[in-house]
């Protein structure tokens, strides 16, 4: 509790400090990005590869666990990778495995693909079973453990099965838990397979609270916290493309001398501030970085915002360098009790359809639709492929708000 209180106070201090710094520079001839340019940059952010710190951590954890599993019959046959609920855990695992080079002679299979909750949550177990049956060789009768307790089988331990997003395998409603129990039994009774599982950290803590899931999956690794240097490296393709600078004391951003020690220190301060503001979570950091970008007012007055384009050799004469002001979290609007219940369910379930959200709350969809629309207008929620997700920008404030209202708060 003391740790959470300190983290909460730290977030408030950073919010006040960064907001104050942002206001101090309001006299600058810098203005927020136009919507068209912001949308273009957001699309570029979504196209970025997973941060190398994430993929390297997953590789190290996976190789460590696999080596033990291939040598010891009693070693765990699963590895759970926990991610913040606003992180795209499925994409993170996909990117990590795509370029994975190892000398373990294992084959990675993805029978579930990009599994999403079916429209009828009562069919989750059936769909999981059919997908795994198509893989072949998986025991469903509970006899796998007895059949596999032979040292000779260690040589056959060469297959890694990926479950990309465990929170998509359940819905908090009557009979909506069966998929989790099914997967738990399958992994336990099939030690000849290694199971790599991605999961939202709030969902994991919730499942552990109600079903002690960690008793079955004891090798659990959270994604690392990204430092300012890691974030700078990850976003470098975009900062270089746009010629961004953190030197707010210059009217012309491109006039900053990159070799200056003062400039270098300012750069380091900016990126460390971004890491602190985002708690080292890539999706939060990316949104806060985008929110910190400014463009010269003069450019906006002379250029058509729709014509502002990315820096390429074909349009070098049309480049409008951007400035980075101190990253700051936005103020959270006042929320109703229904809003808090909605947002809490979203934190646990990650991506979720409006219909499933209503079912998880035990309310008709028509009853929650108005609040969903309001939260979308306030940018607290976003739509992605027909599902609702939490906007990463507001994650810390929502975590604090839910904790202050006695909701179960999970994750880091």
């Amino acid at each position: 509790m003391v740790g959470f209180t300190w983290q909460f106070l730290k977030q408030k201090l950073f919010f006040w400090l960064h907001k104050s710094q942002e206001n101090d520079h309001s006299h600058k001839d810098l203005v927020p990005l136009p919507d068209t340019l912001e949308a273009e940059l957001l699309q570029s952010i979504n196209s970025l590869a997973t941060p190398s710190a994430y993929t390297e951590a997953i590789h190290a954890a996976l190789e460590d666990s696999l080596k033990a599993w291939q040598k010891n019959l009693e070693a765990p046959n699963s590895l759970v990778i926990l991610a913040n609920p606003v992180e795209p855990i499925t994409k993170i695992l996909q990117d990590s495995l795509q370029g994975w080079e190892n000398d373990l002679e294992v084959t990675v299979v993805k029978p579930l693909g990009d599994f999403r909750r079916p429209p009828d949550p009562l069919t989750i177990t059936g769909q999981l079973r059919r997908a795994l049956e198509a893989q072949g060789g998986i025991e469903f009768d509970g006899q796998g453990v007895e059949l596999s307790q032979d040292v000779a089988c260690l040589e056959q331990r060469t297959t890694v099965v990926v479950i990309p997003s465990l929170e998509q395998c359940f819905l908090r409603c009557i009979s909506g838990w069966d998929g989790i129990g099914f997967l738990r039994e399958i992994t336990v009774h099939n030690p000849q397979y290694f199971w790599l599982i991605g999961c939202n950290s709030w969902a994991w803590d919730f499942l552990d609270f109600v079903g002690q899931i960690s008793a079955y999956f004891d090798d659990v690794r959270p994604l690392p916290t990204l430092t300012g240097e890691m974030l700078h490296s990850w976003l470098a393709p975009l900062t270089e493309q746009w010629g961004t600078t953190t030197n707010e004391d210059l009217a012309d951003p491109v006039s900053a001398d990159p070799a200056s020690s003062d400039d270098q220190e300012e750069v380091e301060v900016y990126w460390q501030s971004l890491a602190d503001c985002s708690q080292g979570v890539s999706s939060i950091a990316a949104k806060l970085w985008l929110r910190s970008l400014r463009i010269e007012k003069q450019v906006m007055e002379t250029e058509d915002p729709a014509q502002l384009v990315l820096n390429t050799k074909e349009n070098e004469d049309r480049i409008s360098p951007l400035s980075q002001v101190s990253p700051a979290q936005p103020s959270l609007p006042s929320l109703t009790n229904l809003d808090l219940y909605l947002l809490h369910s979203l934190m646990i379930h990650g991506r979720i359809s409006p219909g499933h959200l209503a079912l998880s709350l035990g309310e008709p969809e028509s009853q929650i639709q108005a609040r969903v629309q309001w939260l979308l207008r306030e940018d607290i929620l976003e739509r992605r492929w027909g599902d609702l997700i939490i906007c990463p920008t507001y994650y810390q404030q929502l975590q604090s708000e839910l904790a202050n209202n006695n909701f179960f708060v999970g994750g880091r």
Side-chain angles (χ1 to χ4, degrees), residues 76-96:
N77 69 321
S78 64
L79 171 65
V80 179
I81 302 295
L82 295 185
N84 186 285
V86 295
E87 290 278 56
I89 183 59
T90 297
K91 180 180 184 298
I92 290 171
L93 288 183
Q94 288 174 344
D95 287 355
S96 299

Side-chain angles (χ1 to χ4, degrees), residues 389-400:
I389 61 172
I390 297 285
C391 176
T393 311
Y394 286 96
Y395 173 76
Q396 288 102 319
Q397 298 96 310
L398 291 174
Q399 183 185 39
S400 299

Side-chain angles (χ1 to χ4, degrees), residues 221-296:
R221 317 279 184 99
L223 290 176
T225 298
L226 302 181
T227 65
E229 184 178 357
M230 291 172 180
L231 290 173
H232 191 187
S233 176
W234 178 54
L235 291 170
L238 300 185
T239 59
E240 292 170 359
Q241 209 167 25
W242 280 95
T244 58
T245 176
T246 57
N247 195 327
E248 299 174 296
D249 294 328
L250 297 172
D252 182 4
V254 296
S255 65
D257 179 6
S260 166
S261 60
D262 290 341
D263 290 343
Q264 182 61 33
E265 182 179 356
E266 189 176 9
V267 168
E268 292 175 358
V269 168
Y270 172 85
W271 289 103
Q272 188 53 50
S273 178
L274 183 63
D276 292 335
C277 244
S278 64
Q279 294 183 341
V281 178
S282 70
S283 57
I284 300 175
K287 283 298 186 73
L288 292 178
W289 173 75
L290 180 59
R291 188 173 183 270
S292 78
L293 295 181
R294 298 292 184 271
I295 194 168
E296 291 183 53

Side-chain angles (χ1 to χ4, degrees), residues 307-381:
Q307 299 303 314
L308 297 172
V309 291
L310 288 173
N311 186 357
T312 64
K313 291 182 178 180
E314 291 76 19
N315 56 56
E316 286 180 347
D317 59 333
R318 300 168 61 192
I319 301 310
S320 300
L322 305 179
S323 292
Q324 297 168 164
V325 301
S326 297
Q329 300 169 3
S331 300
L332 185 67
S334 297
L335 301 173
T336 67
N337 286 336
L338 179 55
D339 293 337
L340 294 177
Y341 280 102
L342 280 167
L343 295 165
H344 183 249
S345 188
L346 265 163
M347 288 287 194
I348 293 174
H349 291 99
R351 289 169 48 192
I352 192 170
S353 69
H356 285 167
L357 178 60
L359 190 57
S360 75
L361 297 171
E363 298 284 350
E365 188 173 348
S366 59
Q367 293 294 103
I368 69 167
Q369 190 58 40
R371 297 315 301 170
V372 167
Q373 290 302 122
W374 182 83
L375 291 166
L376 286 167
R377 285 197 303 272
E378 293 293 322
D379 294 326
I380 297 173
L381 294 186

Side-chain angles (χ1 to χ4, degrees), residues 1-20:
M1 187 65 183
V2 173
F4 178 81
T5 301
W6 165 242
Q7 185 65 38
F8 174 74
L9 292 174
K10 182 179 177 183
Q11 291 170 12
K12 291 297 184 182
L13 176 61
F14 270 108
F15 173 77
W16 173 84
L17 178 60
H18 297 149
K19 199 69 175 176
S20 175

